[in-house]
Amino acid sequence: QVQLVESGGGLVQPGGSLRLSCASSGSISSFLTLSWYRQALGKQRELVAVITKGDNTNYPDSVKGRFTISRDNTKNTVYLQMNSLKPEDTAVYYCRGLGAGITYWGQGTQVTVSS
């Protein structure tokens, strides 16, 4: 089975930046899409970024212009660059890889935006 492991979370002040990483134990080239989700305490999980095999990306309005998803196939790693962070960005962030009928999830990494 493919394993996805997130890292890079932590505490950051409002307006600051973080870069999250999602390292795969196998090739990420075969995934149809690679995504980042987040789940704040007491709220439902929400999609924050998607990248396809063709390098098309999509973001919800809540993070558009602030977050950027990218990948490095040689390192089998997906990234989420987060800039201009706000307190409402506080959540556990999860990496997801969508294959041919199979979805893989990482364990999550905590992001806390607070002064």
Side-chain angles (χ1 to χ4, degrees), residues 94-105:
Y94 298 91
C95 178
R96 188 196 76 160
L98 176 62
I102 302 176
T103 297
Y104 298 94
W105 290 93

Side-chain angles (χ1 to χ4, degrees), residues 42-97:
K43 299 186 66 177
Q44 290 187 290
R45 183 182 62 190
E46 64 173 335
L47 179 69
V48 296
V50 182
I51 187 168
T52 70
K53 288 196 299 183
D55 290 327
N56 296 312
T57 59
N58 189 252
Y59 310 89
D61 289 340
S62 59
V63 307
K64 191 173 298 182
R66 301 189 297 118
F67 289 13
T68 303
I69 187 172
S70 62
R71 67 184 180 192
D72 187 337
N73 290 344
T74 65
K75 297 180 179 180
N76 290 319
T77 300
V78 184
Y79 304 98
L80 183 67
Q81 178 67 46
M82 304 184 294
N83 300 324
S84 302
L85 284 163
K86 307 173 181 179
E88 50 263 45
D89 295 320
T90 296
V92 177
Y93 284 72
Y94 298 91
C95 178
R96 188 196 76 160

Side-chain angles (χ1 to χ4, degrees), residues 13-36:
Q13 295 184 17
S17 299
L18 283 175
R19 189 183 74 162
L20 306 183
S21 298
C22 174
S24 174
S25 63
S27 175
I28 64 171
S29 300
S30 61
F31 286 117
L32 296 175
T33 64
L34 293 157
S35 308
W36 286 95

